[in-house]
Amino acid sequence: MSDPFVNAIARLVPEVPPHLVERPPDPALGDYALPCFALAKARRKAPPAIAAELAAELAPRLGEAQHQGAPLFTAVEAAGPYLNFRADAGQMARLTLPSILDGSYFQQNRAPAGGSRKVMVEYSQPNTHKAFHVGHMRNVALGDALARILAYNGQQVTAANYIGDVGTHIAKCLWFYQRHLGRLPKEKQTPQPGQDRGEWLGELYTAATLMLEDAPKEQREVYQKEVGQVLQQLESGQGEAHALWQETRAWSLESFQDIYRWLGARFDHWFYESEMEAGRRIVEEGLAKGVFIRSEGAVGADLEADGLGFLLVLKADGTTLYSTKDLALAEMKFDRFGMDESVYVVGAEQTLHFKQVFKVLEKLGYPQAGRSVHLAYGLVMLPEGKMSSRAGNVILFSALRERMNRFIVEHYLEAHRGDWRDEEIDETCRRIAVAAIRYGMVKQDPSKVIVFNLEDWLVAEGDTGVYLCYAYTRVQSIFRALGKFGRADADLTLLTHPTERALIRELHDFNRAAEAAARLMRPNLLAGTLFALAKAFSRAYAAVSVKNAETPALGEARLALFDAAGRVLKEGLELLGITPPERM
RNA sequence: GCGUCUGUAGCUCAGCUGGAUAGAGCGAUGGCCUUCGAAGCCAGCGGCCGCAGGUUCGAAUCCUGCCAGACGCACCA
């Protein structure tokens, strides 16, 4: 992927590396800018003088920069220390729009500069027997978007899920289920009609946790012993608890499938904590290699020398830990799946854990350890603070979906009832809700805490997924009104209105932004670009008309432009996991 | 105590890893629908970029030290 305009500037001014070429803050200044600071030393002059000198030098030679026999630039001038180039509007349109209309534009990033790599993106990682809430949505939105963006940029991506289907939390849930169900009000003792069974299990888990926390000390010890017995049964793979585990685990998995289906998230492979038995063997091998040591009856890696403390891999009672399973999982990814690179989309609170795991993998001799990345993201909070099951303010997936659906239908789609088929109303509603939630989760820098304000996200004006969808549907409405689509052979040189030029520029730069989002693993960069694109479209749409264009040829050119905008918008939204509706 | 992350407009956030006059959205103010969808567009208002030093021709961005918040630091995941 390379920009012919940037390449041309690089040829005209070979002393300056092309990556320095930037976009001026105001299109009135030009389309490309070359800062001359880097030349100050070599030329022993002040940057403004160099810019002026270069402008004078290049002006007569500007015609040398050509594409298909026509000049790429129409002007070059100095503005302070900057050398600004004005691109030929027709050339930029011709270099951009036809390739979008024939689809080839979307293949341009396929051959990455660094070569194609096999990369696994692991995300979501829900625990069975626990409730899935808005906080978990951030992970899915981020991971799924990243997987799509990397694939768009030519990486061989395997999207993986890693289900937490073993451990104390499950023992707690089943312990409550078997012994204390009676503590709940009658109607809560079984899943309510229409209630998701996985979510009901989550309620049991929460009830169990609160019950344990609230019990007086002696009583709590009795309870904990009971939970321990359940855990024992689970690990032995026998007994009533084990059978119950199998049954209820399936409920949770069904529930997750339902969520992913609604969100449109896909996984190529599902890992389960329950299948990570290789951990114990890895610990043995690590002990033999001296990577692990025994300490206070337990086994772990002393990483003090690396400033990473101590990573415990085997408890004193000989049982394995989260870390042990992570080592087994990494081994699977590298050895069985042949991954070159591994990305873990996991909350920022586990930063130290992953640094430790990667360090241990390195010591165990995995070269891929250096290409393992923990994509850390911040918490999802509510305006009133953190979500907590004790406070009872956790927004569960089903409640979120329900509230969004109701709002969207009431405020926007009800008007179409009867006119549209019910299935279309439902599907449009789903797409808008998914757009709102996914865009909201992904538009922010991953490292920052997100304050989730349901009302704001639903009202959804301005920089939101709904706005982007709306822009897309407006393009579609042009097609409906005119009964035709854009043609690549339109006379694109007619697109001279400032809003048209600005939109062309956004379209031209989309691939560059997609590449940066992949390289930096920050889907929010793509979200920002899409918003700028939708904004540029909306401006142009308000300023110029296809139907009432001054000439038919201009109308055709605008149709091609808006068609291209719609296609890039759709492609970009897909990279964020959002499928816009055709009308809304 | 040590470590990581975060402090930018009333609120929620961008700022392409050192460059032009720090940008958006929301809210509040004022405009724009007999013309392809007003879930939209336009205008003005709103800033000691947490504080103090330092590096540099040049700092919201890099370094140091404070202050505030979040998270983490051995048998939970």
Side-chain angles (χ1 to χ4, degrees):
Chain A
M1 213 285 299
S2 61
D3 184 336
F5 294 94
V6 173
N7 292 344
I9 290 170
R11 279 195 299 274
L12 287 168
V13 193
E15 315 150 67
V16 179
H19 72 263
L20 288 182
V21 176
E22 51 189 57
R23 191 160 139 185
D26 181 350
L29 291 164
D31 298 300
Y32 290 89
L34 188 64
C36 297
F37 305 99
L39 293 170
K41 274 199 184 113
R43 296 209 174 194
R44 293 165 156 258
K45 275 185 189 156
I50 297 170
E53 197 175 280
L54 277 173
E57 190 184 307
L58 291 180
R61 299 173 41 209
L62 204 58
E64 287 173 22
Q66 293 194 347
H67 178 81
Q68 293 181 344
L72 283 168
F73 299 106
T74 57
V76 58
E77 60 183 29
Y82 291 88
L83 188 63
N84 290 328
F85 294 82
R86 178 159 302 284
D88 181 272
Q91 282 285 47
M92 184 171 284
R94 272 197 299 271
L95 280 163
T96 308
L97 304 182
S99 67
I100 293 171
L101 293 175
D102 72 18
S104 62
Y105 181 83
F106 304 115
Q107 305 298 320
Q108 288 174 12
N109 282 23
R110 283 296 174 81
S116 186
R117 292 193 298 269
K118 290 182 76 170
V119 46
M120 184 168 276
V121 178
E122 181 203 307
Y123 65 96
S124 196
Q125 309 108 330
N127 282 328
T128 63
H129 303 76
K130 275 196 190 178
F132 199 102
H133 57 73
V134 275
H136 299 112
M137 307 271 279
R138 184 175 192 181
N139 185 305
V140 178
L142 189 56
D144 188 36
L146 182 66
R148 291 164 187 261
I149 290 167
L150 291 176
Y152 181 80
N153 287 281
Q155 305 302 340
Q156 302 169 59
V157 178
T158 302
N161 203 339
Y162 179 40
I163 307 294
D165 63 344
V166 291
T168 321
H169 74 276
I170 290 167
K172 279 187 197 170
C173 175
L174 298 185
W175 161 75
F176 189 90
Y177 185 105
Q178 289 182 312
R179 293 176 178 251
H180 300 289
L181 214 48
R183 291 174 158 259
L184 293 177
K186 193 118 188 114
E187 69 276 10
K188 296 246 175 196
Q189 293 181 14
T190 52
Q192 285 164 278
Q195 187 186 16
D196 180 281
R197 287 182 298 182
E199 214 160 76
W200 179 69
L201 285 175
E203 285 181 6
L204 299 193
Y205 169 75
T206 301
T209 309
L210 295 179
M211 183 177 155
L212 280 163
E213 281 173 9
D214 294 341
K217 196 160 178 258
E218 316 81 57
Q219 187 63 53
R220 182 161 53 225
E221 279 166 10
V222 173
Y223 287 160
Q224 274 165 349
K225 202 171 245 175
E226 292 173 359
V227 171
Q229 285 165 1
V230 176
L231 189 59
Q232 206 99 53
Q233 278 191 43
L234 292 179
E235 295 198 344
S236 69
Q238 278 154 17
E240 207 183 310
H242 181 74
L244 186 59
W245 170 74
Q246 286 187 308
E247 189 187 0
T248 51
R249 175 180 178 274
W251 295 356
S252 285
L253 294 178
E254 259 174 53
S255 170
F256 298 152
Q257 293 282 15
D258 181 43
I259 293 167
Y260 299 138
R261 201 176 309 121
W262 186 79
L263 275 171
R266 282 216 194 83
F267 297 95
D268 300 303
H269 190 77
W270 294 57
F271 293 106
Y272 300 90
E273 256 188 86
S274 58
E275 62 183 16
M276 295 300 143
E277 297 117 351
R280 211 173 287 277
R281 192 202 74 241
I282 294 172
V283 170
E284 293 301 324
E285 291 169 2
L287 271 167
K289 283 186 191 169
V291 175
F292 300 128
I293 56 166
R294 294 184 193 280
S295 167
E296 297 171 30
V299 178
D302 182 359
L303 304 172
E304 287 295 346
D306 302 293
L308 295 174
F310 191 89
L311 178 68
L312 200 68
V313 294
L314 222 52
K315 295 191 239 177
D317 66 6
T319 56
T320 61
L321 286 136
Y322 178 55
S323 54
T324 329
K325 289 164 189 147
D326 258 347
L327 294 175
L329 177 58
E331 185 185 75
M332 262 191 206
K333 289 179 181 178
F334 298 147
D335 293 348
R336 201 195 300 170
F337 286 81
M339 290 295 145
D340 303 310
E341 202 171 319
S342 184
V343 182
Y344 298 76
V345 181
V346 180
E349 65 278 3
Q350 291 188 43
T351 300
L352 176 61
H353 168 80
F354 280 104
K355 279 185 184 166
Q356 292 175 325
V357 168
F358 297 162
K359 179 55 77 178
V360 167
L361 288 171
E362 181 194 314
K363 286 176 186 275
L364 287 171
Y366 284 102
Q368 299 96 326
R371 298 252 283 272
S372 294
V373 179
H374 171 212
L375 181 60
Y377 64 89
L379 231 53
V380 176
M381 306 231 306
L382 300 177
E384 63 269 24
K386 282 173 85 166
M387 283 188 284
S388 86
S389 41
R390 180 169 294 279
N393 62 352
V394 179
I395 301 177
L396 299 185
F397 170 77
S398 61
L400 179 72
R401 174 167 61 181
E402 170 62 26
R403 290 182 67 175
M404 295 191 105
N405 284 350
R406 201 174 339 124
F407 184 93
I408 294 165
V409 169
E410 271 175 23
H411 287 76
Y412 300 117
L413 298 180
E414 204 51 63
H416 301 297
R417 184 82 66 187
D419 186 11
W420 297 5
R421 289 180 311 133
D422 284 354
E423 298 81 58
E424 185 180 356
I425 290 187
D426 291 348
E427 175 61 8
T428 302
C429 182
R430 186 192 70 85
R431 290 188 187 182
I432 293 171
V434 170
I437 193 86
R438 289 185 87 136
Y439 187 80
M441 288 294 178
V442 110
K443 75 167 178 176
Q444 215 165 101
D445 187 286
S447 67
K448 291 195 178 178
V449 169
I450 284 184
V451 176
F452 177 73
N453 185 334
L454 193 75
E455 308 308 322
D456 282 1
W457 286 34
L458 285 177
V459 173
E461 286 168 350
D463 186 7
T464 64
V466 179
Y467 174 80
L468 298 183
C469 286
Y470 182 62
Y472 176 77
T473 60
R474 291 171 103 192
V475 174
Q476 306 316 305
S477 73
I478 301 173
F479 301 148
R480 271 195 296 275
L482 274 72
K484 57 181 176 180
F485 298 97
R487 294 171 56 101
D489 59 4
D491 183 0
L492 303 174
T493 60
L494 299 172
L495 298 170
T496 54
H497 191 275
T499 61
E500 292 165 350
R501 295 193 54 165
L503 177 55
I504 292 167
R505 183 59 196 271
E506 292 298 336
L507 296 171
H508 180 260
D509 285 358
F510 172 81
N511 271 342
R512 195 159 269 267
E515 188 279 327
R519 181 165 35 83
L520 302 170
M521 293 197 183
R522 282 176 52 192
N524 60 308
L525 296 179
L526 187 67
T529 297
L530 285 176
F531 177 66
L533 172 57
K535 189 79 186 168
F537 163 74
S538 295
R539 283 193 171 131
Y541 184 82
V544 303
S545 172
V546 176
K547 200 159 121 188
N548 301 319
E550 292 79 344
T551 65
L554 180 57
E556 286 296 326
R558 284 178 181 159
L559 186 60
L561 172 59
F562 289 154
D563 193 342
R567 286 170 195 248
V568 174
L569 217 38
K570 185 174 192 186
E571 183 74 22
L573 284 168
E574 293 285 356
L575 293 183
L576 298 182
I578 295 167
T579 303
E582 296 299 307
R583 53 180 183 172
M584 60 193 271

